[in-house]
Amino acid sequence: NKTAIILTDAFTEYFGYSPKTFCRLLRFHHTLYEIFQDPHRNNSEFITQIGYSDQAHFQREFKIFMGETPRRFGRRLIQQ
């Protein structure tokens, strides 16, 4: 569909990210917000509500964006 391609290209040019990557970043931002609200809370309590299909999906994406595992990040956050 040409319209979808044109919209995707315009979105990417304007924001610097594809719509899918932009949505992933928004979801991840929400994830960080949840973690900062209660660093002691178990991640499995909120990850499916945010839109991750499972724990592995969450951990994989977390490591892509943060460069470390959620567990390591959580430990560092609690220590500060």
XYZ file of all heavy atoms in Angstrom:
689
model
N 0.841 -1.168 0.000
C 0.000 0.000 0.000
C 0.888 1.233 0.000
O 1.667 1.459 0.915
C -0.912 -0.042 1.225
C -1.897 1.081 1.298
O -1.674 2.161 0.766
N -2.997 0.830 1.971
N 0.737 2.067 -1.034
C 1.590 3.246 -1.184
C 1.384 4.266 -0.067
O 2.330 4.898 0.379
C 1.345 3.909 -2.541
C 1.908 3.145 -3.688
C 1.726 3.911 -4.981
C 2.321 3.125 -6.125
N 2.247 3.867 -7.376
N 0.147 4.420 0.391
C -0.141 5.379 1.454
C 0.607 5.014 2.731
O 1.196 5.881 3.383
C -1.657 5.447 1.731
O -2.333 5.759 0.514
C -1.964 6.496 2.770
N 0.616 3.754 3.088
C 1.321 3.304 4.291
C 2.820 3.549 4.159
O 3.472 3.975 5.122
C 1.042 1.832 4.550
N 3.361 3.296 3.007
C 4.791 3.528 2.778
C 5.117 5.012 2.880
O 6.105 5.405 3.512
C 5.229 2.947 1.411
C 5.115 1.423 1.431
C 6.641 3.387 1.051
C 5.278 0.768 0.084
N 4.286 5.846 2.290
C 4.507 7.298 2.341
C 4.429 7.796 3.780
O 5.267 8.579 4.231
C 3.490 8.036 1.435
C 3.790 7.736 -0.035
C 3.513 9.533 1.692
C 2.705 8.181 -0.997
N 3.430 7.328 4.534
C 3.294 7.737 5.933
C 4.481 7.252 6.774
O 5.002 7.994 7.608
C 1.993 7.209 6.524
C 0.724 7.918 6.080
C -0.502 7.179 6.615
C 0.722 9.352 6.545
N 4.890 6.023 6.548
C 6.032 5.476 7.286
C 7.297 6.272 6.978
O 8.054 6.623 7.887
C 6.240 3.990 6.945
O 5.063 3.271 7.321
C 7.447 3.411 7.666
N 7.518 6.570 5.728
C 8.700 7.356 5.342
C 8.658 8.758 5.950
O 9.674 9.253 6.448
C 8.820 7.446 3.821
C 9.218 6.132 3.176
O 9.658 5.216 3.907
O 9.086 6.027 1.942
N 7.492 9.398 5.931
C 7.359 10.736 6.505
C 7.587 10.698 8.016
O 8.260 11.572 8.584
C 5.982 11.317 6.186
N 7.020 9.705 8.668
C 7.193 9.547 10.115
C 8.671 9.370 10.447
O 9.201 10.027 11.346
C 6.392 8.337 10.602
C 6.380 8.165 12.094
C 5.321 8.639 12.835
C 7.427 7.536 12.749
C 5.297 8.488 14.215
C 7.417 7.373 14.123
C 6.355 7.857 14.857
N 9.329 8.485 9.722
C 10.744 8.198 9.966
C 11.603 9.432 9.736
O 12.513 9.720 10.514
C 11.218 7.036 9.074
O 10.403 5.899 9.345
C 12.674 6.699 9.322
N 11.297 10.176 8.697
C 12.058 11.390 8.413
C 11.864 12.432 9.513
O 12.810 13.075 9.953
C 11.636 11.974 7.064
C 12.479 13.163 6.655
C 12.134 13.664 5.267
O 11.734 12.849 4.419
O 12.265 14.880 5.042
N 10.662 12.573 10.007
C 10.350 13.588 11.018
C 10.917 13.214 12.393
O 11.535 14.035 13.063
C 8.832 13.792 11.106
C 8.440 14.897 12.048
C 8.491 16.231 11.641
C 8.032 14.617 13.334
C 8.150 17.251 12.504
C 7.682 15.632 14.209
C 7.733 16.952 13.791
O 7.398 17.961 14.654
N 10.692 11.973 12.816
C 11.085 11.567 14.159
C 12.471 10.916 14.232
O 13.049 10.799 15.309
C 10.058 10.588 14.751
C 8.769 11.242 15.118
C 7.650 11.072 14.331
C 8.666 12.033 16.251
C 6.446 11.673 14.665
C 7.473 12.638 16.600
C 6.359 12.461 15.794
N 12.973 10.438 13.106
C 14.267 9.780 13.107
C 14.199 8.299 13.440
O 15.228 7.641 13.570
N 12.993 7.794 13.635
C 12.763 6.382 13.937
C 11.573 5.910 13.122
O 10.665 6.684 12.850
C 12.404 6.160 15.418
C 13.433 6.635 16.393
C 13.252 7.817 17.095
C 14.571 5.886 16.633
C 14.202 8.250 18.011
C 15.519 6.305 17.552
C 15.328 7.488 18.238
O 16.265 7.905 19.128
N 11.566 4.629 12.824
C 10.377 4.074 12.180
C 9.244 4.055 13.205
O 9.505 4.112 14.422
C 10.654 2.644 11.705
O 10.803 1.780 12.824
N 7.995 3.971 12.766
C 6.888 3.904 13.723
C 7.030 2.744 14.715
O 6.754 2.904 15.908
C 5.648 3.732 12.847
C 6.029 4.352 11.542
C 7.497 4.053 11.393
N 7.494 1.600 14.246
C 7.656 0.452 15.133
C 8.719 0.723 16.196
O 8.512 0.443 17.386
C 8.016 -0.796 14.339
C 8.154 -2.021 15.213
C 8.380 -3.273 14.405
C 8.475 -4.462 15.351
N 8.470 -5.717 14.645
N 9.850 1.273 15.790
C 10.904 1.594 16.759
C 10.427 2.656 17.734
O 10.704 2.575 18.935
C 12.176 2.060 16.030
O 12.626 1.012 15.163
C 13.284 2.415 17.000
N 9.702 3.626 17.248
C 9.153 4.672 18.109
C 8.230 4.066 19.172
O 8.320 4.407 20.349
C 8.397 5.700 17.262
C 7.975 6.921 18.011
C 8.895 7.917 18.304
C 6.668 7.087 18.410
C 8.514 9.050 18.995
C 6.266 8.218 19.097
C 7.192 9.213 19.387
N 7.379 3.132 18.767
C 6.482 2.458 19.719
C 7.274 1.636 20.731
O 6.935 1.603 21.919
C 5.476 1.579 18.983
S 4.228 2.523 18.105
N 8.324 0.979 20.280
C 9.182 0.228 21.199
C 9.819 1.156 22.226
O 9.907 0.812 23.407
C 10.274 -0.515 20.425
C 9.768 -1.706 19.642
C 10.856 -2.348 18.805
N 11.940 -2.841 19.646
C 13.211 -2.906 19.240
N 13.562 -2.512 18.040
N 14.120 -3.376 20.056
N 10.271 2.322 21.782
C 10.877 3.291 22.699
C 9.854 3.809 23.713
O 10.173 3.966 24.896
C 11.494 4.456 21.921
C 12.769 4.123 21.169
C 13.128 5.255 20.207
C 13.914 3.878 22.136
N 8.638 4.080 23.261
C 7.588 4.525 24.186
C 7.280 3.448 25.225
O 7.142 3.750 26.421
C 6.314 4.885 23.423
C 6.333 6.180 22.657
C 5.021 6.348 21.874
C 6.546 7.360 23.572
N 7.177 2.206 24.783
C 6.914 1.106 25.704
C 8.059 0.984 26.704
O 7.844 0.795 27.900
C 6.719 -0.197 24.938
C 6.475 -1.382 25.864
C 6.203 -2.659 25.112
N 7.281 -2.957 24.193
C 7.157 -3.733 23.131
N 6.005 -4.296 22.844
N 8.182 -3.964 22.348
N 9.298 1.125 26.216
C 10.438 1.008 27.108
C 10.476 2.169 28.104
O 10.818 1.989 29.275
C 11.746 0.923 26.324
C 12.905 0.588 27.199
C 13.016 -0.672 27.751
C 13.862 1.530 27.499
C 14.070 -0.994 28.587
C 14.912 1.223 28.327
C 15.027 -0.040 28.876
N 10.124 3.335 27.660
C 10.040 4.490 28.569
C 9.044 4.195 29.691
O 9.304 4.479 30.864
C 9.627 5.738 27.789
C 9.587 6.964 28.613
N 8.438 7.405 29.231
C 10.545 7.847 28.951
C 8.695 8.501 29.905
N 9.965 8.797 29.753
N 7.924 3.628 29.337
C 6.924 3.243 30.335
C 7.503 2.192 31.288
O 7.258 2.236 32.498
C 5.679 2.709 29.633
C 4.527 2.479 30.551
N 3.241 2.446 30.112
C 4.444 2.254 31.883
C 2.433 2.208 31.136
N 3.150 2.078 32.219
N 8.274 1.267 30.754
C 8.924 0.248 31.574
C 9.835 0.888 32.615
O 9.782 0.548 33.804
C 9.752 -0.708 30.691
O 8.884 -1.333 29.755
C 10.481 -1.748 31.510
N 10.670 1.828 32.180
C 11.570 2.506 33.121
C 10.784 3.265 34.176
O 11.150 3.267 35.354
C 12.515 3.442 32.371
C 13.582 2.759 31.533
C 14.412 3.806 30.794
C 14.476 1.876 32.380
N 9.694 3.897 33.766
C 8.845 4.602 34.723
C 8.358 3.637 35.803
O 8.424 3.943 36.993
C 7.665 5.250 33.997
C 6.641 5.840 34.925
C 6.845 7.091 35.479
C 5.485 5.147 35.255
C 5.911 7.645 36.355
C 4.557 5.682 36.121
C 4.772 6.939 36.664
O 3.854 7.465 37.533
N 7.877 2.477 35.389
C 7.380 1.480 36.337
C 8.489 0.998 37.273
O 8.274 0.835 38.470
C 6.766 0.288 35.601
C 5.466 0.592 34.893
C 4.321 0.900 35.835
O 4.321 0.410 36.979
O 3.415 1.639 35.426
N 9.666 0.782 36.730
C 10.783 0.316 37.555
C 11.163 1.379 38.584
O 11.393 1.070 39.752
C 11.990 -0.071 36.674
C 11.660 -1.341 35.882
C 13.247 -0.272 37.520
C 12.681 -1.699 34.814
N 11.224 2.632 38.171
C 11.585 3.700 39.105
C 10.515 3.929 40.164
O 10.818 4.395 41.256
C 11.892 5.000 38.358
C 13.282 5.058 37.797
C 13.503 4.857 36.452
C 14.370 5.296 38.619
C 14.787 4.905 35.925
C 15.655 5.336 38.113
C 15.865 5.151 36.761
N 9.260 3.622 39.854
C 8.193 3.766 40.840
C 8.401 2.833 42.028
O 8.136 3.194 43.168
C 6.817 3.507 40.215
C 6.369 4.573 39.255
C 6.264 5.928 39.909
O 5.609 6.088 40.934
N 6.937 6.910 39.334
N 8.869 1.614 41.741
C 9.105 0.640 42.803
C 10.186 -0.341 42.353
O 9.889 -1.377 41.772
C 7.817 -0.111 43.143
C 7.988 -1.083 44.301
O 9.099 -1.172 44.872
O 7.008 -1.767 44.636
N 11.451 -0.009 42.614
C 12.551 -0.867 42.162
C 12.536 -2.266 42.779
O 13.149 -3.181 42.242
C 13.809 -0.118 42.611
C 13.385 1.246 42.948
C 11.932 1.190 43.275
N 11.831 -2.451 43.873
C 11.793 -3.754 44.532
C 10.712 -4.677 43.957
O 10.704 -5.862 44.237
C 11.549 -3.579 46.041
C 12.631 -2.786 46.704
N 13.843 -3.321 47.058
C 12.689 -1.482 47.066
C 14.590 -2.394 47.614
N 13.923 -1.265 47.628
N 9.818 -4.119 43.158
C 8.717 -4.908 42.602
C 9.235 -5.899 41.565
O 10.169 -5.619 40.823
C 7.696 -3.962 41.953
C 6.491 -4.684 41.398
C 5.418 -3.757 40.982
N 5.891 -2.854 39.938
C 5.100 -2.060 39.250
N 3.822 -2.019 39.504
N 5.599 -1.277 38.331
N 8.602 -7.037 41.495
C 8.939 -8.061 40.520
C 8.502 -7.588 39.129
O 7.357 -7.179 38.937
C 8.228 -9.365 40.899
C 8.663 -10.520 40.052
O 9.072 -10.367 38.915
N 8.566 -11.701 40.625
N 9.399 -7.664 38.151
C 9.086 -7.202 36.791
C 7.897 -7.916 36.181
O 7.151 -7.327 35.398
C 10.293 -7.395 35.868
C 11.443 -6.506 36.240
O 11.273 -5.462 36.831
N 12.645 -6.938 35.906
N 7.701 -9.167 36.527
C 6.612 -9.927 35.919
C 5.247 -9.367 36.292
O 4.256 -9.661 35.631
C 6.699 -11.405 36.313
O 6.577 -11.558 37.708
N 5.178 -8.519 37.313
C 3.909 -7.912 37.708
C 3.395 -6.898 36.691
O 2.216 -6.635 36.630
C 4.054 -7.231 39.074
C 4.296 -8.180 40.213
C 4.476 -7.455 41.540
O 4.065 -6.285 41.655
O 5.035 -8.067 42.460
N 4.283 -6.314 35.906
C 3.821 -5.265 34.998
C 4.201 -5.442 33.537
O 3.640 -4.774 32.680
C 4.305 -3.888 35.478
C 5.791 -3.714 35.459
C 6.446 -3.308 34.316
C 6.542 -3.951 36.594
C 7.818 -3.137 34.294
C 7.914 -3.776 36.600
C 8.551 -3.380 35.438
N 5.112 -6.350 33.220
C 5.586 -6.393 31.835
C 4.521 -6.803 30.822
O 4.506 -6.282 29.712
C 6.848 -7.269 31.683
C 6.571 -8.700 32.063
C 8.015 -6.717 32.444
C 7.685 -9.656 31.657
N 3.641 -7.708 31.181
C 2.596 -8.080 30.221
C 1.577 -6.968 30.062
O 1.022 -6.782 28.983
C 1.888 -9.392 30.626
O 1.407 -9.272 31.953
C 2.833 -10.570 30.529
N 1.338 -6.199 31.114
C 0.413 -5.064 31.028
C 0.956 -3.980 30.103
O 0.202 -3.274 29.453
C 0.149 -4.481 32.406
C -0.587 -5.419 33.326
C -0.636 -4.889 34.756
O 0.090 -3.980 35.129
N -1.497 -5.483 35.560
N 2.271 -3.848 30.053
C 2.898 -2.836 29.208
C 2.913 -3.253 27.745
O 2.919 -2.409 26.862
C 4.326 -2.527 29.726
C 4.238 -1.854 31.087
C 5.099 -1.668 28.763
C 5.567 -1.640 31.757
N 2.910 -4.563 27.485
C 2.856 -5.013 26.103
C 3.934 -5.988 25.683
O 4.048 -6.301 24.500
N 4.730 -6.455 26.622
C 5.706 -7.487 26.288
C 4.998 -8.832 26.287
O 4.170 -9.101 27.153
C 6.864 -7.482 27.287
C 7.701 -6.227 27.197
C 7.554 -5.196 28.114
C 8.623 -6.062 26.169
C 8.308 -4.036 28.015
C 9.374 -4.908 26.068
C 9.215 -3.905 26.994
O 9.949 -2.757 26.892
N 5.350 -9.680 25.342
C 4.657 -10.969 25.230
C 5.036 -11.926 26.345
O 4.213 -12.739 26.764
C 4.930 -11.605 23.870
O 6.323 -11.767 23.673
N 6.271 -11.814 26.824
C 6.715 -12.677 27.923
C 7.993 -12.104 28.536
O 8.514 -11.085 28.081
C 6.922 -14.115 27.469
C 7.892 -14.259 26.313
O 8.757 -13.376 26.125
O 7.795 -15.251 25.582
N 8.486 -12.789 29.550
C 9.682 -12.336 30.268
C 10.898 -12.265 29.355
O 11.687 -11.325 29.424
C 9.950 -13.290 31.448
C 11.039 -12.831 32.382
C 10.589 -11.754 33.348
O 9.413 -11.556 33.565
N 11.534 -11.056 33.924
N 11.059 -13.249 28.476
C 12.211 -13.267 27.567
C 12.181 -12.073 26.619
O 13.225 -11.450 26.355
C 12.237 -14.573 26.780
N 11.008 -11.744 26.106
C 10.847 -10.585 25.227
C 11.254 -9.310 25.961
O 11.995 -8.474 25.443
C 9.389 -10.516 24.768
C 9.062 -9.378 23.885
N 7.798 -8.843 23.830
C 9.797 -8.645 23.022
C 7.787 -7.846 22.967
N 8.991 -7.695 22.477
N 10.783 -9.155 27.192
C 11.129 -7.998 28.018
C 12.636 -7.922 28.258
O 13.253 -6.874 28.060
C 10.376 -8.079 29.354
C 10.943 -7.204 30.422
C 10.800 -5.829 30.346
C 11.612 -7.742 31.505
C 11.319 -5.008 31.335
C 12.131 -6.938 32.495
C 11.989 -5.565 32.410
N 13.232 -9.028 28.665
C 14.665 -9.026 28.975
C 15.513 -8.724 27.741
O 16.492 -7.966 27.816
C 15.080 -10.371 29.574
C 14.524 -10.577 30.955
C 14.814 -11.951 31.509
O 15.198 -12.871 30.793
N 14.623 -12.100 32.808
N 15.126 -9.270 26.611
C 15.860 -9.034 25.364
C 15.816 -7.557 24.987
O 16.841 -6.943 24.679
C 15.250 -9.905 24.267
C 16.125 -10.196 23.113
C 15.562 -11.268 22.179
N 14.116 -11.252 21.978
C 13.270 -12.153 22.483
N 13.709 -13.146 23.228
N 11.980 -12.078 22.248
N 14.632 -6.970 25.028
C 14.506 -5.563 24.650
C 15.183 -4.654 25.672
O 15.791 -3.655 25.311
C 13.035 -5.198 24.472
C 12.874 -3.855 23.813
C 11.572 -3.751 23.068
O 11.510 -4.236 21.920
O 10.623 -3.187 23.626
N 15.079 -4.986 26.938
C 15.735 -4.200 27.976
C 17.237 -4.145 27.719
O 17.852 -3.078 27.771
C 15.459 -4.805 29.358
C 15.825 -3.898 30.492
C 14.860 -3.122 31.103
C 17.134 -3.820 30.954
C 15.189 -2.275 32.144
C 17.477 -2.972 31.988
C 16.501 -2.200 32.586
N 17.821 -5.293 27.424
C 19.259 -5.341 27.186
C 19.646 -4.568 25.926
O 20.700 -3.933 25.885
C 19.737 -6.789 27.101
C 21.237 -6.896 27.156
C 21.695 -8.285 27.451
C 23.203 -8.280 27.630
N 23.721 -9.590 27.926
N 18.804 -4.587 24.913
C 19.071 -3.815 23.692
C 19.147 -2.329 24.013
O 20.066 -1.631 23.587
C 17.997 -4.086 22.617
C 18.176 -5.486 22.031
C 18.049 -3.034 21.513
C 17.012 -5.943 21.156
N 18.189 -1.826 24.771
C 18.126 -0.393 25.058
C 19.081 0.052 26.169
O 19.596 1.163 26.136
C 16.700 0.036 25.412
C 15.776 0.058 24.239
C 14.590 -0.638 24.270
C 16.071 0.769 23.091
C 13.713 -0.629 23.195
C 15.219 0.788 22.004
C 14.033 0.091 22.061
N 19.304 -0.793 27.162
C 20.096 -0.380 28.319
C 21.516 -0.951 28.332
O 22.352 -0.476 29.078
C 19.390 -0.786 29.622
C 18.086 -0.067 29.845
S 18.257 1.727 29.975
C 19.078 1.875 31.551
N 21.754 -1.985 27.551
C 23.081 -2.576 27.525
C 23.388 -3.456 28.724
O 24.540 -3.831 28.948
N 22.385 -3.755 29.519
C 22.533 -4.642 30.669
C 21.195 -5.298 30.968
O 20.166 -4.868 30.485
C 23.053 -3.893 31.893
C 22.138 -2.803 32.407
C 22.756 -2.029 33.564
O 23.672 -2.534 34.228
O 22.313 -0.909 33.799
N 21.239 -6.330 31.773
C 20.017 -7.055 32.087
C 19.158 -6.252 33.064
O 19.668 -5.395 33.798
C 20.340 -8.414 32.721
O 20.998 -8.196 33.976
C 21.198 -9.265 31.805
N 17.863 -6.534 33.110
C 17.001 -5.849 34.079
C 17.450 -6.095 35.523
O 17.391 -5.190 36.352
C 15.618 -6.450 33.833
C 15.670 -7.049 32.485
C 17.101 -7.403 32.222
N 17.912 -7.302 35.801
C 18.354 -7.627 37.167
C 19.554 -6.763 37.577
O 19.576 -6.187 38.654
C 18.720 -9.098 37.270
C 19.270 -9.461 38.655
C 19.483 -10.925 38.804
N 18.148 -11.511 38.957
C 17.872 -12.778 38.792
N 18.810 -13.616 38.447
N 16.658 -13.228 38.954
N 20.527 -6.659 36.689
C 21.700 -5.839 37.000
C 21.308 -4.367 37.172
O 21.762 -3.698 38.092
C 22.754 -5.989 35.913
C 23.942 -5.061 36.123
C 25.004 -5.303 35.111
N 26.015 -6.054 35.825
C 26.978 -6.735 35.270
N 27.052 -6.815 33.970
N 27.868 -7.357 35.987
N 20.465 -3.889 36.283
C 20.001 -2.503 36.384
C 19.272 -2.284 37.711
O 19.503 -1.290 38.402
C 19.072 -2.168 35.206
C 18.518 -0.779 35.265
C 19.288 0.298 34.874
C 17.224 -0.563 35.707
C 18.785 1.582 34.928
C 16.707 0.722 35.762
C 17.489 1.796 35.372
N 18.391 -3.204 38.077
C 17.640 -3.091 39.327
C 18.553 -3.070 40.542
O 18.350 -2.293 41.471
N 19.550 -3.908 40.530
C 20.501 -3.938 41.647
C 21.252 -2.614 41.769
O 21.446 -2.103 42.872
C 21.487 -5.085 41.479
C 20.868 -6.434 41.765
C 21.874 -7.536 41.590
N 21.259 -8.831 41.845
C 21.722 -9.972 41.396
N 22.828 -9.993 40.673
N 21.098 -11.101 41.658
N 21.685 -2.084 40.636
C 22.383 -0.787 40.664
C 21.449 0.309 41.168
O 21.859 1.181 41.927
C 22.916 -0.422 39.277
C 24.171 -1.123 38.887
C 24.872 -0.554 37.654
N 24.013 -0.220 36.525
C 23.658 1.029 36.181
N 24.049 2.048 36.882
N 22.893 1.228 35.135
N 20.220 0.275 40.742
C 19.240 1.287 41.140
C 18.986 1.247 42.645
O 18.957 2.282 43.301
C 17.936 1.065 40.377
C 16.816 2.071 40.580
C 17.251 3.456 40.120
C 15.578 1.639 39.803
N 18.859 0.065 43.191
C 18.604 -0.089 44.629
C 19.818 0.369 45.445
O 19.660 0.949 46.501
C 18.207 -1.541 44.948
C 16.818 -1.827 44.358
C 18.215 -1.799 46.454
C 16.428 -3.279 44.389
N 21.011 0.145 44.930
C 22.222 0.517 45.661
C 22.420 2.028 45.738
O 23.094 2.516 46.627
C 23.461 -0.107 45.002
C 23.536 -1.610 45.197
C 24.682 -2.218 44.410
O 25.364 -1.551 43.637
N 24.902 -3.507 44.599
N 21.853 2.759 44.795
C 22.059 4.219 44.767
C 21.254 4.919 45.796
O 20.245 4.770 46.204
C 21.753 4.771 43.390
C 22.729 4.291 42.354
C 22.437 4.847 40.971
O 21.408 5.430 40.707
N 23.364 4.641 40.075
